[in-house]
Amino acid sequence: MRACLDVAALSEEQRDLWDRVCQLWAQSQSRDRTLIATSIHPQYVGWDMSADQPHHKDAAIASVVGDAPELKSYRLAPHSVQVYDHVVGVVHYSYEATVQPHGAASLAVTGKWTEVYLRQADAWVMVAVSGRPDPAEPAP
């Protein structure tokens, strides 16, 4: 997977936003419900484009804790990191991850996400996501 964006060329504000994306993936891997919940805005709405409808904050939290597949490893590739008026951030990136459903073998997944953030009290809080996993490829 190749990032289309040189993170070193980002402004400090853009790097801060990209770092927040990376922190949220680390929080997902640690499955810390409290940290994840405080990172997501109460009015959050996201849409995994594989689903029929958008989801709310509780569904987002449930997608990475409890009975959700465990995130074993991941790699992120930023494609665009934009900050508007020091308040709104939009990040487009692709990912590769290994997840392990309970009682099943690990799976390799890839996909693309767009995430929208609002800066509140000097922290980036997620307000929306949209994207989906790439279609599964048949085993050779």
Side-chain angles (χ1 to χ4, degrees):
M1 176 172 59
R2 185 175 73 78
C4 295
L5 187 64
D6 178 10
V7 177
L10 295 175
S11 71
E12 183 178 343
E13 191 172 47
Q14 290 169 311
R15 278 193 310 274
D16 184 49
L17 177 57
W18 177 246
D19 288 347
R20 184 59 165 158
V21 172
C22 296
Q23 289 168 1
L24 287 174
W25 274 78
Q27 289 173 359
S28 295
Q29 191 171 33
S30 72
R31 302 170 70 93
D32 185 324
R33 179 181 294 273
T34 302
L35 277 176
I36 294 165
T38 60
S39 300
I40 301 174
H41 193 279
Q43 293 175 296
Y44 162 95
V45 176
W47 197 348
D48 177 335
M49 300 303 288
S50 303
D52 291 336
Q53 296 290 320
H55 60 271
H56 52 76
K57 180 178 179 173
D58 291 339
I61 295 167
S63 73
V64 294
V65 300
D67 292 333
E70 185 178 350
L71 178 61
K72 294 298 213 176
S73 63
Y74 60 90
R75 196 170 82 188
L76 309 177
H79 297 281
S80 175
V81 178
Q82 297 298 321
V83 176
Y84 302 92
D85 297 328
H86 312 287
V87 178
V88 174
V90 178
V91 181
H92 303 284
Y93 66 94
S94 53
Y95 67 88
E96 295 176 349
T98 302
V99 297
Q100 185 169 13
H102 294 286
S106 294
L107 304 167
V109 294
T110 60
K112 297 163 193 72
W113 281 115
T114 295
E115 297 180 355
V116 181
Y117 292 83
L118 178 65
R119 189 190 305 262
Q120 291 185 323
D122 293 327
W124 290 109
V125 179
M126 181 184 286
V127 295
V129 299
S130 184
R132 70 171 183 204
D134 294 328
E137 295 185 19

